[in-house]
Amino acid sequence: MKTIFEKSVPGRQALSLPECDVPLYQLSPELLREKPLRFPEVAEIDLVRHYTALSKRAYGVDDGFYPLGSCTMKYNPKLNEEAANLPGFTGIHPLQEQKTLQGALKLMYTLGAKLAEITGMDQITLQPAAGAHGEYTALQLIRAYHLDHGNPQRNKIIVPDSAHGTNPASAAMNDYITVNIPSGPDGCVDLEALKAAVGEDTAALMLTNPNTVGIFDKNIRQIAQIVHDAGGLLYYDGANLNPIMGLIRPGDMGYDVVHLNLHKTFSTPHGGGGPGSGPVGCKAALAPYLPGPIVTEKDGVYSLTPGGDKSIGTVKTFYGNFLVMIKALAYIETLGAEGIRLAAQLAALNANYMMARLKGHFPAYSSDICMHEFVISCEKLKEEVGITALDFAKALIDRGIHPPTIYFPLIVHEALMFEPTETESKQTLDQACDTILELLREAKADPAAFKQHPVKMPIGRPDEVTAARKPILVYTPASS
Ligand SMILES: *Cc1c(COP(=O)(O)O)cnc(C)c1O
């Protein structure tokens, strides 16, 4: 498909402006560009066709089943979009006087309070723009806390080998030394390895629970005790909150600080780099370091309070991605406490149903019961007929199913990690399982043909290594 620039014809336009009826203002020559900007010049119909064609090549939750593990690609109710589109929200400016922004401030205050309740934390900042940004912010809080308590030597962050890649990356971004600890055979934290790793230099343990293989680590209280006894803090990667929301709370498990992904758990559309939100919640001991401003309430009046003396400072322009907050609050309010709990339970039920149907056919990593996601492996299939997790993912694309997460977590070879989410029906799950089992038979019957997938897509199999190592991210026009 040609780019919009390649479709450009000099002089062609998608709009016609009325004749200018004010005097032309001449900019002085030093303010002018040397060469005109290169804009694509196309007619409206070409413009519409171009982007419609592109949109048809994209795949999202609204197109079909999207069981991408760890990413919680649940359906996003359209009502949330309606709410975020209300002119009272879209027409305001962050620098308006606070008394004219009471509704928006109340919304942020209410969302913060709900998230604090759901996570069992004392304070929330809504500023961070995504999960990794939340991790970064939380690690800054952890550093500020240790420095303030006279412990600059606490420069190590412990991360289990099953952790999401952003965890060690965020630690490195914050100049921490990452200490990896192995998981036990059940994917849970190896307590002996943890005891050996903690010490005077421990800043925190970053841990998600349920972990990335979809198993709830029952030793969480003991883990918290070990970390706290060593003087460290416990950090919850909240990307896996979906199966526990309304049921148990990180704050009650012993965590000191959490980040949430509103764009996963709280049904905000994501993928493709759209706006996200990664609020951070913390216990009172960490609250003095939170970024400002924070919304406070007194006698029914809401105001933006700057961060205190000890604040790590602002981490995002203004107050965070406000429209994402609206969608999250709309979701929480429409479900209510009961609905949130039910959504969590259905997320676990759906994952268990799918795992039960598949695990006789693929070795499953998870034990009897999983939480919101489960991991099966193509290792046996690879040994028998040479079909890998990647081959299987490519074949699923041809069948209109978004592939699961593959080769993650790293502790499982040839991993396929499915997270069906609570918004899928039994029919959809059954259809997906039937397709997967059919593909398994095809893979065994004719591995060479199977390796040709995908054959129905505009692009088949790009060279993955070159794509990862030498990505071409900038369009260079032929004539420049
Ligand atoms: C998605 C995810 C993150 C990072 O969130 P982003 O919003 O993509 O930055 C961190 N940890 C886990 C476990 C995740 O699934």
Side-chain angles (χ1 to χ4, degrees), residues 70-71 130-132 135 164 166-167 212 237 239-240 259 261 263-264:
S70 199
C71 295
E135 292 175 31
H164 193 264
T166 51
N167 293 183
T212 54
D237 177 337
N240 288 345
H259 92 259
N261 278 26
H263 48 292
K264 288 180 183 168

